[in-house]
């Protein structure tokens, strides 16, 4: 899938901590109708933080900016920064309606993150794991959570045998029967859906 991100040359204040886990991908809005990644970085620095607290910032026109490096802790959801990455959307979705270009970009980003890095991370809105109204009542939260693959364009990436075996290993680790996976090499989505559906309750991230 065509997937492009913009990586500004950020200057962090201090050293960013490594993140221990990635149980959640947390969706936010900026609560500002128009703003740039650079402005968010300035706002967060003025809070005394190291710099932009999100891992990604998505403009209304669909441009995706990288913020904190993927393996570092963000500053976007109190008490949960050690187990989550944050995606912020430009806009004030307590009152505005999200443009299609931005919605599609967020969905492509979710597919990219789920397929390449965090197949088992749960997609949540900030308000679901923190005390906040974020990302606003007009943010299409449930729609994106349920349909992000369709909005991303529906592409299915091929999975290599080595990747598949790694996934099977992961399924084994969590104690599932893997016979249902036989014959599914090449269909990454099917494998991930299988893993998501068959993960035992104890292994699921809790809210
Ligand atoms: Zn938020």
């Amino acid at each position: 899938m065509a997937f492009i991100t913009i990586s500004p040359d950020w200057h962090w204040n201090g050293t960013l901590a490594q993140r221990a886990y990635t149980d959640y991908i947390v969706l936010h809005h900026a609560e500002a109708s128009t703003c740039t990644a650079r402005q968010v970085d300035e706002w967060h620095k003025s809070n005394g933080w190291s710099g932009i607290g999100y891992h990604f910032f998505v403009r209304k026109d669909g441009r995706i900016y990288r913020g904190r490096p993927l393996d570092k802790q963000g500053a976007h959801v109190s008490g949960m920064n050690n187990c989550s990455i944050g995606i912020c959307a430009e806009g004030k979705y307590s009152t505005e309606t999200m443009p299609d270009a931005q919605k599609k970009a967020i969905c492509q980003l979710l597919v990219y993150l789920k397929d390449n890095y965090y197949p088992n991370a749960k997609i949540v809105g900030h308000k679901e794991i923190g005390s906040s109204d974020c990302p606003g009542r007009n943010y299409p939260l449930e729609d994106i959570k349920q349909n992000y693959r369709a909005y991303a364009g529906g592409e299915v990436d091929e999975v290599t045998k080595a990747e598949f075996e790694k996934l099977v290993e992961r399924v084994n680790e969590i104690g599932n029967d893997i016979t249902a996976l036989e014959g599914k090499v090449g269909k990454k989505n099917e494998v991930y859906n299988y893993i998501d559906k068959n993960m035992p309750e104890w292994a699921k991230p809790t809210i």
Side-chain angles (χ1 to χ4, degrees):
M1 114 189 329
F3 184 80
I4 299 162
T5 60
I6 301 162
S7 302
D9 185 18
W10 299 118
H11 297 285
W12 306 106
N13 288 338
T15 308
L16 300 177
Q18 286 293 124
R19 191 180 57 260
Y21 310 99
T22 309
D23 294 334
Y24 300 100
I25 299 173
V26 187
L27 302 174
H28 301 267
H29 71 152
E31 225 177 334
S33 186
T34 307
C35 56
T36 64
R38 191 67 68 187
Q39 280 174 315
V40 173
D41 182 61
E42 285 162 12
W43 297 340
H44 288 182
K45 279 183 173 136
S46 71
N47 289 346
W49 304 348
S50 304
I52 186 168
Y54 307 110
H55 296 82
F56 295 93
F57 182 75
V58 183
R59 297 293 308 266
K60 284 182 169 173
D61 64 6
R63 277 176 293 168
I64 302 171
Y65 291 81
R66 284 180 186 266
R68 301 235 177 169
L70 263 191
D71 62 331
K72 304 295 185 195
Q73 269 193 51
H76 58 98
V77 50
S78 180
M80 301 292 275
N81 288 310
N82 196 33
C83 62
S84 66
I85 64 168
I87 299 173
C88 182
E90 176 191 19
K92 187 174 182 170
Y93 294 118
S94 41
T95 54
E96 296 176 330
T97 301
M98 182 176 283
D100 286 344
Q102 188 180 32
K103 186 173 172 184
K104 180 167 182 164
I106 290 168
C107 292
Q108 288 186 332
L109 178 55
L110 289 171
V111 170
Y112 167 78
L113 291 170
K114 289 284 276 181
D115 285 4
N116 293 291
Y117 295 96
Y118 314 115
N120 297 319
K122 190 162 184 159
I123 300 165
V124 294
H126 181 174
K127 64 185 177 191
E128 294 178 89
I129 59 168
S131 68
S132 172
D133 293 333
C134 179
R137 81 171 84 86
N138 285 4
Y139 188 106
L141 185 59
E142 290 309 316
D143 189 20
I144 284 179
K145 286 193 324 195
Q146 285 165 30
N147 304 307
Y148 67 96
R149 284 190 188 276
Y151 292 130
E155 294 94 334
V156 177
D157 290 337
E158 288 287 292
V159 65
T160 64
K161 190 152 194 301
E163 284 175 303
F164 176 82
E165 277 163 5
K166 240 191 271 168
L167 291 171
V168 170
E169 226 174 71
R170 172 72 186 131
V171 176
N172 265 333
E173 268 171 34
I174 62 176
N176 266 299
D177 177 6
I178 59 157
T179 51
L181 284 174
E182 281 167 17
K184 290 194 175 176
V185 175
K187 292 288 176 205
K188 197 176 219 173
N189 287 352
E190 283 183 47
V191 174
Y192 285 156
N193 287 342
Y194 172 85
I195 290 176
D196 282 349
K197 256 192 248 127
N198 293 279
M199 193 186 291
E201 284 305 316
W202 60 264
K204 285 180 185 167
T206 49
I207 290 182

